[in-house]
C-alpha cells in the first residue's frame, strides 16, 4: 500500500507526509550537494577515460548507480559520514534485500530457514 498504489484517505495521509520533502525550498537546498556529486562523477569519467585500455569504455549503469547512491547518502546523512563505507554497507543491504525478495516470491517465506550457503 505505497503512495503509488494507495487511494482515498490513506493516499492523502501519505501524500501529506511526503509533501515537505518535495517542497521547492527543500529541493532547492539539495542542489549544491547534487552538483558536487555530479562534478565528482565528471572528474571520475575523465580520469577513467584517460587511463582506460578499453578505448574509453565505461560501465555507465554502475557509474550512475554509484552517483545516485552517493547523492542519497549525502542528502540523508550529511557530509560527516564516510561515503565509501556507507556505499559499501548499502550495497550489501540491497544485495540481501534483492535476494530476499526474489526467494520469497519464488518459494514463500520459509526459504530463510534453510541452510543455503552464501545467502547470509
Amino acid at each position: 500500500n505505497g503512495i503509488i498504489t494507495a487511494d482515498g484517505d490513506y493516499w492523502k495521509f501519505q501524500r501529506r507526509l511526503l509533501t515537505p520533502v518535495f517542497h521547492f525550498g527543500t529541493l532547492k537546498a539539495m542542489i549544491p550537494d547534487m552538483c558536487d556529486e555530479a562534478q565528482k562523477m565528471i572528474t571520475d569519467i575523465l580520469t577513467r577515460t584517460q587511463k582506460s585500455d578499453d578505448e574509453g569504455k565505461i560501465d555507465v549503469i554502475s557509474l550512475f548507480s554509484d552517483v545516485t547512491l552517493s547523492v542519497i547518502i549525502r542528502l540523508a546523512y550529511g557530509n560527516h559520514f564516510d561515503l565509501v563505507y556507507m556505499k559499501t554497507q548499502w550495497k550489501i543491504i540491497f544485495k540481501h534485500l534483492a535476494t530476499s525478495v526474489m526467494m520469497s516470491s519464488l518459494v514463500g517465506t520459509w526459504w530463510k530457514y534453510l541452510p543455503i550457503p552464501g545467502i547470509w
Side-chain angles (χ1 to χ4, degrees):
N1 244 358
I3 193 163
I4 294 173
T5 58
D7 58 2
D9 289 337
Y10 190 65
W11 177 86
K12 287 179 187 176
F13 170 75
Q14 288 186 327
R15 180 71 178 118
R16 284 189 194 119
L17 286 176
L18 289 175
T19 297
V21 176
F22 294 103
H23 185 271
F24 181 74
T26 305
L27 294 175
K28 190 174 179 181
M30 296 177 185
I31 291 173
D33 288 330
M34 291 180 191
C35 288
D36 188 41
E37 291 300 324
Q39 187 60 50
K40 288 178 186 177
M41 181 184 70
I42 291 168
T43 302
D44 188 31
I45 290 171
L46 293 174
T47 303
R48 287 184 190 191
T49 55
Q50 291 171 356
K51 293 181 179 179
S52 179
D53 294 332
D54 298 331
E55 300 172 2
K57 295 179 183 175
I58 297 173
D59 181 1
V60 178
I61 293 173
S62 175
L63 183 68
F64 276 88
S65 294
D66 198 44
V67 77
T68 301
L69 186 56
S70 295
V71 168
I72 292 169
I73 290 170
R74 187 168 173 176
L75 293 174
Y77 299 108
N79 289 330
H80 57 281
F81 280 87
D82 180 359
L83 193 57
V84 174
Y85 173 77
M86 292 294 289
K87 285 195 290 190
T88 303
Q89 296 306 307
W90 276 106
K91 286 178 183 178
I92 291 168
I93 290 168
F94 289 143
K95 175 186 168 199
H96 290 301
L97 180 63
T99 301
S100 178
V101 169
M102 180 188 69
M103 292 299 287
S104 293
S105 65
L106 291 175
V107 294
T109 57
W110 59 268
W111 72 270
K112 59 185 161 190
Y113 302 106
L114 299 174
I116 303 171
I119 297 291
W120 302 108

